[in-house]
Amino acid sequence: MIQLKSLKKTFRKTRVLRGLDLDLARGDRMALVGSNGAGKTTLVRCLLGQYTFEGQVLVNGLSPREHRREVLKRIGFVPQLPPPIKMTVDQLVQFSADLCDADPQHMLDVAAQLGLPIDEVRNRVFVRMSGGEKQKLLIGIALGRDAEILIMDEPAANLDPEARQVFFNLLAERLDRVTMIISSHRLDEVAALVNRVVELDRGLVVLDDHVDDTIDMSSVLDCRIQLSQANDAFRKSISEWGFKLNEDTWLGQVAGPDRLRFLGVLSRYAGLIQGIEMKANNA
């Protein structure tokens, strides 16, 4: 589905991609990881046809530079940094739908599932929305269409836990029919979403490995946490995940794919935690 051969990209005298080779098939869910400057964003922009380059990039046999409109029709893209678009929500959705012959209402419906109050924001200028609102709308535009390829850069970074659960469910519905590239600088943020990890370092692939993908992306874990003493910082942090205090125990639920992220949050308070219980919710 995607082929990169001897891909090179130079900015002035700096070689960012240095002869990169990579193939992705339908059903691959690839985590693209690496430190800042490794070449992740440059690779994505080459795939989207935004940059000229040396070598070859093919999406279903087509060059994204020579057949950009046709290629982009097949790609749903969620950038890490929302662009400073001065259209209203309705205008942006209609524009995006026209580009890929999609139903704008479906895009709005997906954004609404993520918790975006469509009726309240539809006449609001995109650039004036909050970070979370922008992210929900951009995900709605990307997933509210019949895309064969999803390219997402830190897609859930600005989402609250409830919206993240919805996001994971939306991805789970598409697993068998799309190819995903999820760019991140931290593997633990995306590990449960992918079945392949590709690491870049200074413009080259230094790791390409298939990983376990048995986690049900729509799964939910029931969690119980006990502390040795009350702590305001912990209370604020755990409340953001929707947890409630019941006598001396914090109770809540965590999306299965979010377990590593959640445990990372808990690790900050390791000295306070007396007990943790996480069990699959089979309801």
Side-chain angles (χ1 to χ4, degrees):
M1 179 161 285
I2 296 176
Q3 293 179 310
L4 310 177
K5 295 182 180 179
S6 300
L7 179 60
K8 300 177 183 177
K9 178 61 183 176
T10 302
F11 294 99
R12 296 182 180 178
K13 295 183 179 180
T14 302
R15 179 60 60 88
V16 178
L17 299 178
R18 302 188 292 134
L20 187 148
D21 294 304
L22 194 62
D23 289 338
L24 284 86
R26 186 182 298 276
D28 277 352
R29 304 192 308 277
M30 185 184 81
L32 183 64
V33 299
S35 60
N36 290 335
K40 303 187 303 296
T41 299
T42 300
L43 186 157
V44 167
R45 291 184 175 176
C46 289
L47 268 175
L48 296 173
Q50 295 177 354
Y51 288 159
T52 58
F53 49 81
E54 301 174 58
Q56 188 178 61
V57 175
L58 296 176
V59 178
N60 279 352
L62 298 177
S63 164
R65 290 292 295 178
E66 298 174 9
H67 305 275
R68 193 172 183 199
R69 185 180 179 89
E70 188 172 349
V71 168
L72 290 181
K73 281 185 178 182
R74 305 178 181 186
I75 297 176
F77 175 54
V78 181
Q80 179 183 14
L81 298 176
I85 296 172
K86 295 184 179 180
M87 296 179 183
T88 66
V89 168
D90 271 349
Q91 290 170 337
L92 176 56
V93 170
Q94 186 63 58
F95 174 78
S96 302
D98 289 344
L99 287 177
C100 58
D101 300 324
D103 181 356
Q105 187 58 50
H106 193 200
M107 294 179 173
L108 291 172
D109 289 344
V110 173
Q113 289 181 57
L114 292 162
L116 185 66
I118 298 300
D119 290 338
E120 295 178 18
V121 304
R122 65 189 322 142
N123 294 316
R124 193 180 302 173
V125 177
F126 178 80
V127 73
R128 296 177 184 170
M129 298 169 70
S130 71
E133 289 172 336
K134 291 176 183 176
Q135 195 76 349
K136 290 172 183 177
L137 183 62
L138 292 174
I139 291 174
I141 290 172
L143 299 188
R145 49 181 295 187
D146 190 20
E148 298 177 12
I149 299 167
L150 293 175
I151 301 176
M152 300 173 285
D153 196 345
E154 306 282 3
N158 290 317
L159 298 181
D160 55 84
E162 185 176 353
R164 288 172 67 90
Q165 173 68 76
V166 174
F167 174 61
F168 298 142
N169 290 341
L170 290 168
L171 291 184
E173 295 171 0
R174 294 159 170 79
L175 292 186
D176 296 331
R177 50 191 173 89
V178 300
T179 297
M180 296 185 196
I181 300 175
I182 305 178
S183 178
S184 178
H185 66 284
R186 291 181 54 182
L187 180 57
D188 62 341
E189 292 283 329
V190 297
L193 306 179
V194 302
N195 56 17
R196 183 178 176 187
V197 176
V198 170
E199 182 178 359
L200 298 188
D201 183 33
R202 291 181 291 181
L204 288 173
V205 174
V206 295
L207 173 71
D208 186 352
D209 198 11
H210 285 79
V211 296
D212 176 71
D213 64 342
T214 57
I215 293 177
D216 180 357
M217 290 175 62
S218 60
S219 64
V220 176
L221 303 173
D222 290 324
C223 302
R224 302 168 57 91
I225 303 168
Q226 290 182 310
L227 299 186
S228 59
Q229 63 187 54
N231 181 275
D232 285 342
F234 179 85
R235 176 189 56 77
K236 181 179 179 181
S237 182
I238 203 71
S239 295
E240 292 175 354
W241 287 78
F243 276 63
K244 305 293 183 182
L245 183 62
N246 182 8
E247 296 182 353
D248 62 345
T249 303
W250 287 94
L251 304 176
Q253 293 185 326
V254 175
D258 244 355
R259 68 184 71 192
L260 286 179
R261 179 185 176 93
F262 180 68
L263 290 172
V265 171
L266 294 186
S267 69
R268 305 173 199 165
Y269 309 98
L272 295 171
I273 295 176
Q274 282 192 321
I276 302 174
E277 182 179 333
M278 301 177 73
K279 297 172 63 176
N281 182 326
N282 296 317

